[in-house]
PDB file of all heavy atoms in Angstrom:
ATOM      1  N   HIS A 128      43.446 -28.934 169.429  1.00  0.00           N
ATOM      2  CA  HIS A 128      44.057 -27.648 169.078  1.00  0.00           C
ATOM      3  C   HIS A 128      45.024 -27.855 167.917  1.00  0.00           C
ATOM      4  O   HIS A 128      45.923 -28.691 167.990  1.00  0.00           O
ATOM      5  CB  HIS A 128      44.798 -27.097 170.301  1.00  0.00           C
ATOM      6  CG  HIS A 128      45.523 -25.817 170.051  1.00  0.00           C
ATOM      7  ND1 HIS A 128      44.914 -24.591 170.078  1.00  0.00           N
ATOM      8  CD2 HIS A 128      46.834 -25.580 169.755  1.00  0.00           C
ATOM      9  CE1 HIS A 128      45.802 -23.645 169.829  1.00  0.00           C
ATOM     10  NE2 HIS A 128      46.982 -24.215 169.623  1.00  0.00           N
ATOM     11  N   THR A 129      44.822 -27.109 166.834  1.00  0.00           N
ATOM     12  CA  THR A 129      45.746 -27.195 165.697  1.00  0.00           C
ATOM     13  C   THR A 129      46.218 -25.803 165.312  1.00  0.00           C
ATOM     14  O   THR A 129      45.486 -24.815 165.455  1.00  0.00           O
ATOM     15  CB  THR A 129      45.096 -27.856 164.462  1.00  0.00           C
ATOM     16  OG1 THR A 129      43.999 -27.068 163.994  1.00  0.00           O
ATOM     17  CG2 THR A 129      44.637 -29.267 164.783  1.00  0.00           C
ATOM     18  N   TRP A 130      47.448 -25.748 164.813  1.00  0.00           N
ATOM     19  CA  TRP A 130      48.038 -24.476 164.386  1.00  0.00           C
ATOM     20  C   TRP A 130      49.035 -24.769 163.281  1.00  0.00           C
ATOM     21  O   TRP A 130      49.854 -25.681 163.411  1.00  0.00           O
ATOM     22  CB  TRP A 130      48.751 -23.808 165.556  1.00  0.00           C
ATOM     23  CG  TRP A 130      48.664 -22.309 165.537  1.00  0.00           C
ATOM     24  CD1 TRP A 130      49.583 -21.442 165.002  1.00  0.00           C
ATOM     25  CD2 TRP A 130      47.617 -21.504 166.080  1.00  0.00           C
ATOM     26  NE1 TRP A 130      49.168 -20.147 165.171  1.00  0.00           N
ATOM     27  CE2 TRP A 130      47.963 -20.148 165.834  1.00  0.00           C
ATOM     28  CE3 TRP A 130      46.422 -21.791 166.731  1.00  0.00           C
ATOM     29  CZ2 TRP A 130      47.158 -19.086 166.219  1.00  0.00           C
ATOM     30  CZ3 TRP A 130      45.629 -20.738 167.127  1.00  0.00           C
ATOM     31  CH2 TRP A 130      45.991 -19.402 166.882  1.00  0.00           C
ATOM     32  N   GLY A 131      48.929 -24.040 162.200  1.00  0.00           N
ATOM     33  CA  GLY A 131      49.879 -24.228 161.121  1.00  0.00           C
ATOM     34  C   GLY A 131      49.785 -25.623 160.515  1.00  0.00           C
ATOM     35  O   GLY A 131      48.701 -26.160 160.282  1.00  0.00           O
ATOM     36  N   ARG A 132      50.937 -26.243 160.314  1.00  0.00           N
ATOM     37  CA  ARG A 132      50.993 -27.547 159.650  1.00  0.00           C
ATOM     38  C   ARG A 132      50.500 -28.693 160.527  1.00  0.00           C
ATOM     39  O   ARG A 132      50.309 -29.808 160.037  1.00  0.00           O
ATOM     40  CB  ARG A 132      52.444 -27.846 159.220  1.00  0.00           C
ATOM     41  CG  ARG A 132      52.988 -26.935 158.140  1.00  0.00           C
ATOM     42  CD  ARG A 132      54.425 -27.327 157.803  1.00  0.00           C
ATOM     43  NE  ARG A 132      54.483 -28.694 157.310  1.00  0.00           N
ATOM     44  CZ  ARG A 132      54.400 -29.019 156.027  1.00  0.00           C
ATOM     45  NH1 ARG A 132      54.258 -28.083 155.105  1.00  0.00           N
ATOM     46  NH2 ARG A 132      54.470 -30.294 155.647  1.00  0.00           N
ATOM     47  N   THR A 133      50.284 -28.442 161.832  1.00  0.00           N
ATOM     48  CA  THR A 133      49.902 -29.546 162.717  1.00  0.00           C
ATOM     49  C   THR A 133      48.575 -30.177 162.320  1.00  0.00           C
ATOM     50  O   THR A 133      48.311 -31.336 162.668  1.00  0.00           O
ATOM     51  CB  THR A 133      49.815 -29.087 164.184  1.00  0.00           C
ATOM     52  OG1 THR A 133      48.773 -28.111 164.327  1.00  0.00           O
ATOM     53  CG2 THR A 133      51.142 -28.493 164.640  1.00  0.00           C
ATOM     54  N   VAL A 134      47.749 -29.447 161.594  1.00  0.00           N
ATOM     55  CA  VAL A 134      46.472 -30.017 161.148  1.00  0.00           C
ATOM     56  C   VAL A 134      46.697 -31.194 160.204  1.00  0.00           C
ATOM     57  O   VAL A 134      45.879 -32.120 160.140  1.00  0.00           O
ATOM     58  CB  VAL A 134      45.596 -28.918 160.505  1.00  0.00           C
ATOM     59  CG1 VAL A 134      46.184 -28.416 159.206  1.00  0.00           C
ATOM     60  CG2 VAL A 134      44.166 -29.410 160.300  1.00  0.00           C
ATOM     61  N   LEU A 135      47.822 -31.206 159.497  1.00  0.00           N
ATOM     62  CA  LEU A 135      48.154 -32.349 158.639  1.00  0.00           C
ATOM     63  C   LEU A 135      48.460 -33.583 159.483  1.00  0.00           C
ATOM     64  O   LEU A 135      48.116 -34.708 159.100  1.00  0.00           O
ATOM     65  CB  LEU A 135      49.343 -32.011 157.745  1.00  0.00           C
ATOM     66  CG  LEU A 135      49.110 -30.894 156.713  1.00  0.00           C
ATOM     67  CD1 LEU A 135      50.420 -30.553 156.008  1.00  0.00           C
ATOM     68  CD2 LEU A 135      48.042 -31.303 155.702  1.00  0.00           C
ATOM     69  N   ASP A 136      49.089 -33.375 160.642  1.00  0.00           N
ATOM     70  CA  ASP A 136      49.357 -34.498 161.552  1.00  0.00           C
ATOM     71  C   ASP A 136      48.053 -35.085 162.073  1.00  0.00           C
ATOM     72  O   ASP A 136      47.930 -36.309 162.243  1.00  0.00           O
ATOM     73  CB  ASP A 136      50.224 -34.041 162.727  1.00  0.00           C
ATOM     74  CG  ASP A 136      51.620 -33.616 162.305  1.00  0.00           C
ATOM     75  OD1 ASP A 136      52.133 -34.177 161.314  1.00  0.00           O
ATOM     76  OD2 ASP A 136      52.188 -32.724 162.964  1.00  0.00           O
ATOM     77  N   LEU A 137      47.073 -34.228 162.320  1.00  0.00           N
ATOM     78  CA  LEU A 137      45.786 -34.721 162.815  1.00  0.00           C
ATOM     79  C   LEU A 137      45.074 -35.516 161.722  1.00  0.00           C
ATOM     80  O   LEU A 137      44.461 -36.558 162.009  1.00  0.00           O
ATOM     81  CB  LEU A 137      44.928 -33.552 163.287  1.00  0.00           C
ATOM     82  CG  LEU A 137      43.604 -33.934 163.948  1.00  0.00           C
ATOM     83  CD1 LEU A 137      43.835 -34.835 165.155  1.00  0.00           C
ATOM     84  CD2 LEU A 137      42.823 -32.677 164.356  1.00  0.00           C
ATOM     85  N   ALA A 138      45.156 -35.046 160.492  1.00  0.00           N
ATOM     86  CA  ALA A 138      44.552 -35.795 159.392  1.00  0.00           C
ATOM     87  C   ALA A 138      45.183 -37.172 159.259  1.00  0.00           C
ATOM     88  O   ALA A 138      44.478 -38.179 159.083  1.00  0.00           O
ATOM     89  CB  ALA A 138      44.695 -35.015 158.087  1.00  0.00           C
ATOM     90  N   GLN A 139      46.505 -37.236 159.372  1.00  0.00           N
ATOM     91  CA  GLN A 139      47.182 -38.530 159.267  1.00  0.00           C
ATOM     92  C   GLN A 139      46.781 -39.440 160.418  1.00  0.00           C
ATOM     93  O   GLN A 139      46.632 -40.657 160.244  1.00  0.00           O
ATOM     94  CB  GLN A 139      48.702 -38.337 159.250  1.00  0.00           C
ATOM     95  CG  GLN A 139      49.479 -39.623 158.993  1.00  0.00           C
ATOM     96  CD  GLN A 139      49.133 -40.247 157.652  1.00  0.00           C
ATOM     97  OE1 GLN A 139      49.168 -39.578 156.621  1.00  0.00           O
ATOM     98  NE2 GLN A 139      48.776 -41.535 157.654  1.00  0.00           N
TER      99      GLN A 139
END
Side-chain angles (χ1 to χ4, degrees):
H128 177 82
T129 63
W130 215 266
R132 293 180 61 92
T133 64
V134 67
L135 295 173
D136 294 329
L137 185 58
Q139 186 60 51

